């Protein structure tokens, strides 16, 4: 079979992602903090890019930039602002020049030398430590245990073993000796108390004694290897009786299942004695590190990207530009540098980059506002009356309304937050699947979750509703028809236990 070369013409269409389009898409999905970092990087790397937070005296073309910002104002106000800006700048410059001329620099430098030669122990504020040494932070569990370790009378190898134990505590305060995952996907082997003792050059029997002493540090029960050991240590310190100790050691699984009859039968005691013992056990702390959680891990500050404000009978959407620099092109600097043939190509590229960045940020702002306005229009009843009136909505609904692709809507709503009269929400919060109602319009899944939570909060704790009972209540009261497994799924998402574990016997 022979081979030959031919020329063929073919007409086809393909999507080409230009660098500018890639940049616009990337900026669109950035969170507010990530956008601030991106702007700072661009300001550091682009000399012709300036922002409104730059010192006017250190930036060229400040007057032209100020006039540019006033371009959208009425003529009278623009002229007034321009004259005030020129007048204030000239006055400030003259006053600064006058003060500079009046300073006796030789006398100033001589005084500075005299001040530096004086001893540092002369009293006053200079004796105080730096301010960063006076700052405090909430104590975490590790610091609290290390402080107690310093007060103890352990010898050196015991102290090293104690440090290894404290270093292997998990976020709940339990001793975690399970091997972690390696970068290649395999797992490190699990450790044991003997392994820690060997590393600290301590005898294994002595290691158990040291561990028992650490478990009696404050909080009592810390460094326990499981729940039973944690509760047992606390019970020993508090002087629990034999029945309570036996239940902790052998029948915690029955306590969890509320199978008190099995406990009474196994211990040959009355059901009332079991109730009394379980009441005392429930007073113990199952999470030793509960009061030592890191504040930084629990507190997350969120700055909304947009605000929804009610003005009369209308809801107005406005962007939050606080903390975001307004970017401009330093025209005077760019013009001067363009005159240099060596820098012309470099500055031209930086000018194009600055223009694209400014346009991309402005397009991002407009897109977020446009999508938020669409959400507000569809969720007006929620904004007025609360989460129970949240309507089902998917990405396609908003995409069709604003004329964008669903992927764009997904990028816009990721990590973007809106402050509404009902509170602060992520934009993705408003997208919910629909749940069918018998004689009414469909309801959002989030509203169903809140309805389930409300039913459980109002139930009799000694006789809680089963998932099937909740299904029946939802259908009878709200016309919501869902399956039992859906109730179970929503209940687990809300962090609510099953009816058997919610039941209170006393």
């Amino acid at each position: 079979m022979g081979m030959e070369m031919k020329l063929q013409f073919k007409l086809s269409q393909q999507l080409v992602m230009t660098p500018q389009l890639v940049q616009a898409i990337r900026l669109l999905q950035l969170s507010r903090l990530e956008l601030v970092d991106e702007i700072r990087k661009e300001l550091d790397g682009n000399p012709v890019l300036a922002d409104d937070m730059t010192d006017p005296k250190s930036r060229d073309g400040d007057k032209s930039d100020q006039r540019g910002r006033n371009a959208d104002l009425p003529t009278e106000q623009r002229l007034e602002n321009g004259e005030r800006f020129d007048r204030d700048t000239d006055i400030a410059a003259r006053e600064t020049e006058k003060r500079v001329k009046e300073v006796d620099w030789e006398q100033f430098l001589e005084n500075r030398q005299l001040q530096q030669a004086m001893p540092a122990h002369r009293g006053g504020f200079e004796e105080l430590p730096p301010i960063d040494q006076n700052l405090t932070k909430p104590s975490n569990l590790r610091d609290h245990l290390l402080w107690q370790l310093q007060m103890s009378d352990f010898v050196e190898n015991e102290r090293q073993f104690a440090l290894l134990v404290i270093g292997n505590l998990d976020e709940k305060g339990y001793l975690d000796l399970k091997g972690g995952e390696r970068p290649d996907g395999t797992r490190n082997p699990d450790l044991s108390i003997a392994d820690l003792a060997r590393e600290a050059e301590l005898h294994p029997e002595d290691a158990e004694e040291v561990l028992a002493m650490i478990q009696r540090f404050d909080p009592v029960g810390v460094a326990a290897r499981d729940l039973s050991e944690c509760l047992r240590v606390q019970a020993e310190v508090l002087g629990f009786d034999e029945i309570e100790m036996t239940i902790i050691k052998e029948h915690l699984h029955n306590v969890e299942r509320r199978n008190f009859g099995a406990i009474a039968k196994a211990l040959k005691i009355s059901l009332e004695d079991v109730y009394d013992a379980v009441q005392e056990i429930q007073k113990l702390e199952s999470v030793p590190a509960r009061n030592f959680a890191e504040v930084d891990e629990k507190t997350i500050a969120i700055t909304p990207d947009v605000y929804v404000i009610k003005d009369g009978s209308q809801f107005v959407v406005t962007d939050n530009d606080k903390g975001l620099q307004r970017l401009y092109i330093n025209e005077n600097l760019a013009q001067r540098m363009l005159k240099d043939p060596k820098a012309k190509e470099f500055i031209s590229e930086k000018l194009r980059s600055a223009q694209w960045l400014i346009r991309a940020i402005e397009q991002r702002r407009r897109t977020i506002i446009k999508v938020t306005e669409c959400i507000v229009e569809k969720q007006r009843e929620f904004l007025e009356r609360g989460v129970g009136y949240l309507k089902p909505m998917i990405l396609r609904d908003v995409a069709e309304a604003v004329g964008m692709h669903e992927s764009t809507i997904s990028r816009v709503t990721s990590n973007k937050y809106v402050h509404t009269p009902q509170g602060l929400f992520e934009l993705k919060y408003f997208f919910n699947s629909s749940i069918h109602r018998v004689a009414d319009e469909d309801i959002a899944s989030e509203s169903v979750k809140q309805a389930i939570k409300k039913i459980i909060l109002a139930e009799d704790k000694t006789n809680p509703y089963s998932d099937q009972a909740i299904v029946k209540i939802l259908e009878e009261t709200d016309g919501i028809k869902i399956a039992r497994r859906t109730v179970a799924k929503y209940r687990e998402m809300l962090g609510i236990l099953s009816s058997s574990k919610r039941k209170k016997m006393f």
Side-chain angles (χ1 to χ4, degrees):
M1 181 178 180
M3 296 180 63
E4 59 180 1
M5 297 179 62
K6 293 182 179 180
L7 290 176
Q8 292 182 342
F9 291 98
K10 184 179 179 181
L11 184 62
S12 63
Q13 291 182 340
Q14 61 180 357
L15 179 63
V16 179
M17 296 283 287
T18 63
Q20 292 80 8
L21 182 58
V22 172
Q23 182 188 42
I25 294 175
R26 185 171 59 85
L27 290 179
L28 188 60
Q29 61 190 8
L30 293 181
S31 66
R32 183 182 178 86
L33 291 178
E34 291 170 339
L35 179 63
V36 171
D37 290 339
E38 186 70 19
I39 291 176
R40 288 173 181 169
K41 291 178 183 177
E42 291 293 334
L43 285 171
D44 292 339
N46 195 333
V48 300
L49 195 62
D51 67 306
D52 54 1
M53 300 178 70
T54 306
D55 184 4
K57 294 181 181 180
S58 64
R59 180 168 57 116
D60 294 321
D62 181 74
K63 293 183 179 181
S64 62
D65 287 343
Q66 179 67 28
R67 294 192 183 99
R69 289 194 289 273
N70 291 333
D72 296 331
L73 298 176
T75 303
E76 296 80 7
Q77 187 175 354
R78 185 165 66 248
L79 291 175
E80 181 182 351
N81 288 354
E83 293 172 359
R84 189 189 305 115
F85 179 82
D86 294 338
R87 183 173 63 254
D88 293 345
T89 303
D90 293 340
I91 293 175
R94 287 197 298 270
E95 291 180 352
T96 302
E97 184 179 359
K98 182 179 179 181
R99 286 195 298 269
V100 170
K101 291 180 179 179
E102 291 175 353
V103 173
D104 187 346
W105 292 106
E106 295 182 359
Q107 183 66 32
F108 174 78
L109 293 174
E110 182 180 352
N111 291 339
R112 289 288 295 174
Q113 293 175 355
L114 291 175
Q115 290 174 5
Q116 294 174 1
M118 296 183 69
H121 59 275
R122 58 192 176 91
F125 290 104
E126 293 187 7
E127 291 184 348
L128 297 176
I131 189 170
D132 57 351
Q133 297 183 15
N134 293 324
L135 299 178
T136 61
K137 64 177 182 179
S139 176
N140 57 31
L141 178 62
R142 183 177 181 276
D143 293 339
H144 187 60
L145 293 174
L146 290 177
W147 172 76
Q148 295 176 78
L149 180 61
Q150 292 176 355
M151 301 297 106
S152 64
D153 56 353
F154 290 145
V155 296
E156 183 59 28
N157 56 353
E158 293 175 341
R159 189 180 302 276
Q160 290 299 322
F161 174 78
L163 288 173
L164 292 173
V165 170
I166 295 174
N168 281 281
L169 298 182
D170 62 14
E171 67 277 2
K172 294 183 179 180
Y174 286 90
L175 181 58
D176 184 12
L177 298 178
K178 295 180 180 179
E181 186 173 346
R182 295 170 177 165
D184 59 0
T186 59
R187 293 187 61 84
N188 291 312
D190 295 346
L191 298 176
S192 65
I193 296 299
D195 295 328
L196 298 184
R198 192 179 305 110
E199 185 174 348
E201 299 181 356
L202 182 68
H203 194 276
E205 292 183 1
D206 295 335
E208 289 291 345
E209 294 181 6
V210 174
L211 178 61
M213 296 177 67
I214 296 173
Q215 291 173 348
R216 283 158 177 76
F217 280 4
D218 179 55
V220 179
V222 69
R225 285 159 284 194
D226 53 39
L227 177 61
S228 178
E229 186 177 35
C230 177
L231 299 181
R232 179 177 56 78
V233 172
Q234 297 177 59
E236 290 175 353
V237 172
L238 295 174
F240 277 25
D241 60 28
E242 184 179 353
I243 293 177
E244 295 162 346
M245 294 295 296
T246 304
I247 292 176
I248 291 174
K249 293 178 181 178
E250 302 176 4
H251 296 282
L252 278 183
H253 62 286
N254 286 324
V255 173
E256 183 181 1
R257 298 172 183 173
R258 301 294 194 270
N259 192 1
F260 301 139
I263 300 176
K265 183 178 179 180
L267 301 182
K268 298 179 181 180
I269 58 177
S270 65
L271 204 56
E272 288 75 15
D273 291 339
V274 175
Y275 290 164
D276 294 339
V278 172
Q279 275 187 304
E280 294 300 317
I281 294 172
Q282 287 181 337
K283 295 178 182 178
L284 302 177
E285 178 58 74
S286 60
V287 182
R290 189 186 304 276
N291 296 325
F292 293 90
E294 292 286 353
V295 175
D296 292 340
E297 295 179 0
K298 297 192 300 182
T299 304
I300 301 176
I302 296 177
T303 303
D305 296 86
V306 286
Y307 288 93
V308 176
I309 303 171
K310 189 171 185 180
D311 184 12
S313 60
Q314 301 294 324
F315 287 99
V316 180
V317 178
T318 177
D319 67 316
N320 180 18
D321 59 355
K322 186 177 181 180
L324 284 177
Q325 302 99 312
R326 291 292 185 182
L327 300 180
Y328 311 97
I329 293 178
N330 194 332
E331 296 180 1
N332 284 357
L333 176 62
Q335 290 175 358
R336 289 201 304 269
M337 297 188 71
L338 284 172
K339 295 178 181 178
D340 185 353
K342 298 181 180 179
K344 185 174 182 179
E345 183 178 353
F346 171 77
I347 293 301
S348 298
E349 179 62 29
K350 291 300 180 181
L351 279 172
R352 286 193 294 269
S353 176
Q355 289 174 345
W356 270 105
L357 178 64
I358 294 172
R359 291 174 185 174
I361 292 176
E362 179 62 20
Q363 182 64 32
R364 176 185 183 276
R365 184 187 70 84
R366 292 178 181 177
T367 304
I368 293 175
I369 291 180
K370 188 176 182 179
V371 171
T372 306
E373 288 175 343
C374 180
I375 294 175
V376 168
E377 182 180 353
K378 294 180 178 294
Q379 300 289 354
R380 181 181 178 87
E381 197 169 2
F382 159 81
L383 296 172
E384 292 179 343
R385 307 177 68 176
V387 68
Y389 297 87
L390 188 67
K391 293 183 178 180
M393 185 174 65
I394 59 177
L395 292 173
R396 187 185 306 148
D397 297 333
V398 177
E400 293 176 352
V402 299
M404 298 179 183
H405 195 271
E406 291 181 36
S407 62
T408 304
I409 304 301
S410 178
R411 292 188 180 96
V412 170
T413 55
S414 295
N415 299 317
K416 312 296 189 306
Y417 291 86
V418 54
H419 188 278
T420 72
Q422 298 296 333
L424 183 66
F425 300 93
E426 187 179 8
L427 287 177
K428 277 188 175 296
Y429 173 83
F430 297 98
F431 296 95
N432 292 271
S433 58
S434 61
I435 302 296
H436 178 67
R437 287 203 283 191
V438 177
D440 206 341
E441 63 180 3
D442 292 350
I443 187 172
S445 58
E446 188 66 29
S447 299
V448 177
K449 293 178 188 177
Q450 296 303 316
I452 293 173
K453 184 177 180 180
K454 186 177 179 181
I455 292 172
I456 293 176
L457 288 175
E459 70 184 2
D460 181 4
K461 304 305 178 185
T462 60
N463 187 25
Y465 295 121
S466 64
D467 292 343
Q468 188 60 45
I470 294 175
V471 169
K472 188 175 180 181
I473 294 172
L474 288 172
E475 185 173 0
E476 291 177 350
T477 58
D478 299 320
I480 301 172
K481 191 173 182 179
I482 57 177
R484 183 199 59 79
R485 61 180 178 274
T486 306
V487 172
K489 182 180 72 171
Y490 287 170
R491 175 176 52 74
E492 291 174 357
M493 293 173 66
L494 292 169
I496 300 174
L497 300 174
S498 62
S499 58
S500 61
K501 296 181 179 180
R502 297 199 309 270
K503 186 176 183 179
K504 292 187 177 180
M505 306 300 296
F506 31 77

